[in-house]
Amino acid sequence: MKAIHFLAACALLVASFGLEAMPGLPADGEFDETIPTPAEVLGFEPGEWHPRYDQMVTYLEAVAEASDRVQIERIGTTHGQRPLLFLTFASPERLERIDEIRAARRDAAESGDGPPVAWLGYSVHGNEASGASASLVTAWYLAASLDEDVLAWLDEMVIVMEPVLNPDGIDRFAHWVNMHKGRNPSADPADREHNEAWPNGRTNYYWFDLNRDWLPLVHPESRARKVQYHAWRPHVLTDHHEMGPNTTYFFQPGVPERNNPLTPERNYELTAQIAEFHGEFLDRAGEPHFTRELFDDYYVGKGSTYPDVTGGIGILFEQGSARGHVQDTVYGERTFADAVANQVTTSLSTLAATHALGDELIDFQREFFADARDAARRDRNAGWVLGDDGDPARAAELIELLLGHDIAIYPATESIDVGGRRQEAGTAWVIPADQPHYTLLKSILDPVTDLPMETFYDVSAWPLGMSHDLPLEPVRRLPAHGSRLDDAPAVEHELPPADALAWVVPWDQYRAGALLGALLADGYRVQAATEPLTVPTAAGDRELFRGTLIVHSGLQPDSLEPVGPRLAELAARFGTEVLAAERGLSRSGIDLGSPSAPVLDPVNVAMLTGDGLRANHAGYLWHWFDIELEQPLAMLDWTRLFRIDLDEYSHLILPDGNYEFLPGWARERIESFVSGGGVLLALRGASTWIEDLDLDWQLADANDDNGQTQERKAYGDFRQDFARELIGGSALNLSLDITHPIGFGYERDELVVFRRGRQVMRAVDNPYAQPAIYAESPLAAGYLSESNRERLAGAPAISTSRHGQGTVIRMSDDAVFRGYWRGSERLLANALFFGQLIGSTELPGGQ
């Protein structure tokens, strides 16, 4: 740190000299000479090089140490073990009271008290890196500037900053572009620097898009942010991105026809007023820009939309990218420094607007919460009730998610009916409508199918009750309930005895798959009941579904430690119920030693990865294996299939992607894997591609729509018509065969899954091989065009078929969508562990 202070002794000269190289800042001004500039700490000017995240941390901590205007906090850690930083800027006097101000913000937001709070957020997508470097410039300017406007901002506002929302992605991208930059960098768009290798730096550690995680809160970055967000309740929040190189600079308002109908009109009016400041600042810099095109404001799980339904104003910025250090575009040569400059410019224009419109923004926020409470009191329903459906762990997951959004939840203290199921006190919860976040609750709890628009930038539905397959419904009168929850309810089961004849594990539990995976990995023998059974236990007779796990002490290998203590350990770790059976004979159904309860083989799973495959979807699967199942997943680059012995694996997963480019030899390796006895899971787009593989398919005839007379349509309508027929994200109803191994563990034959993409599988010419089909009325929530409803109604959603010695399981939908669609992830677990149980179902005589 002494070196920094030595350099700072000459900082006034450096600041005056280096300011021209500081992208986006005013050309003149006076600055505090004790505040180190980015170049003094990093060794290069912002925009000259892509800083690593550890370099950014070092710089921002140096600024905070040198300035009495800056407070820095480490609020969390990424999956990649990088710290998450959160900065607060204010006058020294206000900063001394910052904890007091933050503690009062919830009440102040509703009562209409200041000060205005501006939240600056940068680079949620790692390869949209101009925002991250802009945060360094902006932080220095706020800490060092002696400009009267800046001093007024610090005196009269609170400015908070997330300098990098996606540290893991930013480092992946910085490494790529820096290692491909020559001393004379190429601006050719085809150059390797501008074309990252798969999976690229956009996403986080597990290849998720963090700008879709504001609602699911699956990742530590999002969870840490939400604590700060709901503590501060900012009036304005910025979300700095990049878009394709052959564009200029976008800021909201977006496409007016695609606004979320729950967002108040006053929000859009203020967004337009703030936009005037952005336009003025960018005009002054001579930079072209646009609004009201390309981007919408609909999905509430994005950074620029979430504030709109929680009392703030979210603003999306999209900078035409250099995707490296310099790139030729249709607008001429664009440098990384150019992109950084625009992000700095609109950071300052946001602060100028928030300051100038402070009274209006404070009034708007007060009115937002007051209007939400008024609307809640006028609502015919008093709130919602949620039941655990017999799976307290899954219910706890949803409750924890809702608590992360500052939702008030109370335990029901009386027995109630929820979704046709009787829920006793302690297994149900009450969510009142009359609370500040009523608007958000309407968005995330009420399934909507009648929407005012037909095209969407992202998904069209996000119903959380359906996503977790839990009974949740509105009620006219709130049941009797206890005190507000501070934390999700603890999942507690009586631990099984260490010594018993056998133990049974109900398969309808959230973490039962993790327990099974651990037992099989240890080498223990586990059976799966393929028929229902009623087992006598110390707690009484227990009716159990198909899929119930049986761990019999008499079947375990002598080489292993007794299984009882290990079962108790795993039951406590995963919050699963494990019951000790009192005898081997069941009260009804199959007995514990029945041949209808075969011993499961351990699994060794691989997944194809690499160019052309959808990294997001592969990431969902990797995350599910690693975090939820707690099992390894071998990720195989498809270009190396020729040197990999696939016989080493029990299962091969094909994630979504474009497989048309796979060469013939790669297809042959997949075909040989199946015919040799492997289980192939083909998901989303892969579910239709594999129909072209040489696997001796017996498919039903496809409908032939050729020869129909084509209606003439206007050329100008094409873009809208094309978007209307896409399925960007909708919740669909399935009819599920719960007697099939793929349906084990489900009590009901109805399930809601999440669908992306237009793929429709051809049915197998076998009536027993479609364990799930779409309902005749397939749409559960969101948008689905009439033609897509007709195409999907009754079509197969999951298909299983035997080929040689192996099995192919096709799933059209995303069973682990964005890491939070808990209700359907059991389908994937069933395919993984019970795919080996799927037998031939061909009737005599080919009937």
Side-chain angles (χ1 to χ4, degrees):
M1 205 56 71
K2 289 182 179 178
I4 293 174
H5 289 308
F6 171 77
L7 291 169
C10 302
L12 182 59
L13 176 61
V14 173
S16 301
F17 172 79
L19 195 54
E20 292 184 5
M22 283 266 220
L25 292 182
D28 54 11
E30 296 182 15
F31 302 91
D32 183 342
E33 61 187 34
T34 66
I35 308 302
T37 66
E40 291 172 335
V41 176
L42 301 178
F44 52 87
E45 295 288 352
E48 285 185 350
W49 191 259
H50 285 256
R52 300 187 316 270
Y53 185 65
D54 64 292
Q55 294 175 304
M56 296 186 226
V57 171
T58 298
Y59 174 68
L60 292 169
E61 289 181 339
V63 170
E65 182 178 328
S67 175
D68 57 3
R69 304 176 182 179
V70 186
Q71 175 181 286
I72 191 167
E73 302 170 76
R74 294 194 175 200
I75 60 173
T77 306
T78 71
H79 290 298
Q81 301 304 305
R82 294 174 175 86
L84 294 164
L85 299 186
F86 190 79
L87 282 74
T88 307
F89 300 85
S91 66
E93 297 76 20
R94 174 159 283 166
L95 208 55
E96 288 181 358
R97 299 177 45 246
I98 205 66
D99 291 340
E100 173 190 338
I101 294 171
R102 175 163 43 189
R105 271 300 301 150
R106 277 185 171 87
D107 292 337
E110 295 176 43
S111 63
D113 295 324
V117 178
W119 179 302
L120 305 177
Y122 302 93
S123 296
V124 70
H125 296 145
N127 60 3
E128 300 174 8
S130 58
S133 284
S135 76
L136 306 184
V137 177
T138 303
W140 176 80
Y141 188 65
L142 293 175
S145 177
L146 302 178
D147 180 83
E148 289 184 2
D149 288 341
V150 175
L151 295 177
W153 297 347
L154 297 169
D155 280 339
E156 299 167 24
M157 299 194 300
V158 173
I159 302 164
V160 297
M161 176 190 288
E162 278 188 284
V164 181
L165 278 72
N166 181 6
D168 294 341
I170 206 84
D171 265 4
R172 206 156 61 235
F173 181 65
H175 177 70
W176 177 267
V177 295
N178 288 338
M179 78 175 184
H180 290 105
K181 179 190 178 185
R183 295 185 180 182
N184 299 285
S186 172
D188 185 344
D191 184 76
R192 184 171 171 82
E193 179 187 354
H194 309 304
N195 297 276
E196 299 166 79
W198 195 94
N200 77 43
R202 174 184 175 90
T203 51
N204 80 335
Y205 187 90
Y206 284 104
W207 311 337
F208 279 62
D209 186 336
L210 286 178
N211 197 39
R212 307 300 186 267
D213 197 45
W214 282 68
L215 176 61
L217 302 184
V218 169
H219 300 284
E221 299 90 337
S222 306
R223 293 194 293 269
R225 178 188 314 117
K226 280 301 164 61
V227 173
Q228 299 298 324
Y229 178 88
H230 287 294
W232 277 111
R233 287 191 174 178
H235 296 89
V236 176
L237 180 145
T238 69
D239 187 19
H240 291 262
H241 290 251
E242 294 180 10
M243 51 185 167
N246 293 316
T247 48
T248 58
Y249 195 89
F250 167 86
F251 50 87
Q252 287 178 318
V255 179
E257 296 80 12
R258 303 208 314 250
N259 290 331
N260 192 302
L262 292 175
T263 301
E265 187 60 33
R266 181 60 175 152
N267 178 292
Y268 298 119
E269 293 172 1
L270 285 168
T271 300
Q273 287 180 251
I274 294 170
E276 294 293 328
F277 287 79
H278 306 321
E280 178 185 343
F281 275 54
L282 288 168
D283 285 344
R284 196 183 303 156
E287 291 293 331
H289 48 271
F290 68 97
T291 62
R292 300 186 299 278
E293 294 184 75
L294 298 183
F295 301 98
D296 69 19
D297 218 5
Y298 183 72
Y299 171 49
V300 302
K302 294 191 301 183
S304 58
T305 310
Y306 185 85
D308 296 342
V309 294
T310 53
I313 294 177
I315 301 178
L316 172 67
F317 298 103
E318 293 277 357
Q319 163 66 47
S321 182
R323 278 298 189 273
H325 293 87
V326 59
Q327 185 169 172
D328 289 330
T329 78
V330 296
Y331 296 98
E333 189 175 87
R334 177 176 293 128
T335 67
F336 182 45
D338 295 334
V340 173
N342 285 342
Q343 305 282 32
V344 172
T345 296
T346 51
S347 298
L348 302 185
S349 65
T350 298
L351 298 178
T354 304
H355 183 256
L357 301 173
D359 290 343
E360 293 182 63
L361 293 166
I362 290 170
D363 285 344
F364 164 73
Q365 190 171 72
R366 175 186 57 77
E367 292 168 0
F368 176 92
F369 288 116
D371 290 347
R373 301 296 286 260
D374 287 344
R377 292 169 188 138
R378 293 194 306 270
D379 196 317
R380 63 185 296 187
N381 295 311
W384 298 262
V385 289
L386 167 69
D388 74 0
D389 202 31
D391 188 356
R394 189 155 32 99
E397 283 284 303
L398 179 53
I399 291 171
E400 183 177 12
L401 172 54
L402 293 172
L403 292 175
H405 291 290
D406 200 29
I407 300 300
I409 308 173
Y410 304 81
T413 56
E414 62 176 311
S415 299
I416 56 176
D417 290 322
V418 189
R421 179 176 183 136
R422 193 67 174 171
Q423 299 279 175
E424 301 300 326
T427 68
W429 295 268
V430 177
I431 307 170
D434 189 4
Q435 56 178 298
H437 289 307
Y438 168 77
T439 306
L440 177 64
L441 282 169
K442 292 291 288 183
S443 175
I444 63 180
L445 298 187
D446 286 351
V448 177
T449 57
D450 185 14
L451 298 172
M453 70 280 286
E454 296 178 328
T455 58
F456 304 85
Y457 184 78
D458 195 70
V459 299
S460 64
W462 44 92
L464 292 186
M466 291 179 173
S467 69
H468 287 66
D469 192 30
L470 289 170
L472 185 148
E473 61 187 20
V475 290
R476 298 287 184 90
R477 180 190 66 83
L478 297 182
H481 53 274
S483 301
R484 179 174 177 173
L485 296 180
D486 293 321
D487 301 293
V491 179
E492 297 177 348
H493 296 288
E494 183 177 346
L495 293 181
D499 187 22
L501 173 69
W503 298 263
V504 291
V505 184
W507 186 243
D508 58 347
Q509 302 179 83
Y510 167 49
R511 300 302 300 279
L515 182 145
L516 173 57
L519 288 175
L520 293 179
D522 288 346
Y524 293 107
R525 297 190 179 109
V526 182
Q527 301 161 263
T530 62
E531 296 292 339
L533 65 164
T534 300
V535 176
T537 73
D541 291 353
R542 184 67 175 268
E543 294 183 10
L544 297 165
F545 301 126
R546 291 177 174 88
T548 295
L549 307 179
I550 302 170
V551 184
H552 203 294
S553 60
L555 294 180
Q556 303 312 315
D558 294 336
S559 59
L560 296 180
E561 294 293 325
V563 69
R566 178 60 169 157
L567 259 178
E569 175 192 341
L570 293 174
R573 175 176 162 188
F574 297 124
T576 51
E577 183 181 30
V578 178
L579 303 166
E582 293 188 330
R583 63 181 193 174
L585 294 177
S586 298
R587 299 290 188 202
S588 63
I590 64 172
D591 298 316
L592 302 190
S594 167
S596 295
V599 173
L600 297 172
D601 292 329
V603 298
N604 184 21
V605 187
M607 176 176 69
L608 286 196
T609 59
D611 284 347
L613 307 189
R614 194 174 296 278
N616 282 147
H617 189 229
Y620 302 162
L621 296 163
W622 177 26
H623 178 269
W624 182 75
F625 270 87
D626 204 30
I627 301 298
E628 299 299 327
L629 206 60
E630 298 190 20
Q631 292 295 311
L633 173 66
M635 295 184 282
L636 313 179
D637 196 304
W638 66 263
T639 60
R640 300 186 66 251
L641 279 182
F642 68 93
R643 63 177 64 184
I644 296 172
D645 183 5
L646 290 181
D647 291 340
E648 295 293 322
Y649 303 99
S650 61
H651 294 65
L652 178 64
I653 299 176
L654 306 185
D656 191 28
N658 179 12
Y659 288 84
E660 297 301 329
F661 61 87
L662 253 65
W665 61 263
R667 299 176 184 225
E668 290 172 3
R669 295 304 305 276
I670 296 172
E671 292 164 352
S672 297
F673 170 79
V674 175
S675 60
V679 178
L680 182 69
L681 275 65
L683 310 177
R684 285 180 52 174
S687 68
T688 54
W689 171 76
I690 63 165
E691 294 170 0
D692 293 332
L693 294 187
D694 186 9
L695 290 173
D696 192 25
W697 288 97
Q698 296 182 15
L699 298 172
D701 293 335
N703 293 327
D704 186 3
D705 295 327
N706 294 330
Q708 295 183 356
T709 302
Q710 292 294 313
E711 174 190 357
R712 181 187 177 198
K713 296 184 178 181
Y715 176 83
D717 292 340
F718 169 74
R719 181 180 295 182
Q720 181 77 6
D721 290 346
F722 180 85
R724 184 184 299 114
E725 295 305 318
L726 296 175
I727 306 178
S730 304
L732 302 186
N733 295 307
L734 294 190
S735 174
L736 185 64
D737 178 3
I738 60 176
T739 72
H740 193 287
I742 296 299
F744 284 0
Y746 289 98
E747 183 179 3
R748 297 177 296 275
D749 60 4
E750 298 173 346
L751 180 68
V752 175
V753 296
F754 202 83
R755 156 57 77 105
R756 302 200 82 181
R758 282 176 46 83
Q759 66 274 358
V760 178
M761 298 188 305
R762 291 179 63 188
V764 175
D765 195 13
N766 181 338
Y768 305 99
Q770 268 86 237
I773 62 174
Y774 295 106
E776 288 303 314
S777 296
L779 183 62
Y783 172 77
L784 194 66
S785 71
E786 192 60 41
S787 62
N788 280 322
R789 296 186 197 203
E790 294 174 0
R791 292 169 63 243
L792 289 171
I798 304 176
S799 173
T800 63
S801 49
R802 299 281 298 175
H803 301 265
Q805 298 300 309
T807 302
V808 172
I809 302 172
R810 296 179 293 152
M811 295 185 177
S812 276
D813 303 302
D814 205 336
V816 289
F817 177 66
R818 290 182 178 167
Y820 78 100
W821 209 269
R822 301 285 182 219
S824 57
E825 62 183 25
R826 188 180 298 121
L827 298 173
L828 186 60
N830 288 346
L832 179 67
F833 293 115
F834 300 155
Q836 58 189 281
L837 304 180
I838 299 171
S840 174
T841 52
E842 186 172 338
L843 293 174
Q847 298 179 10

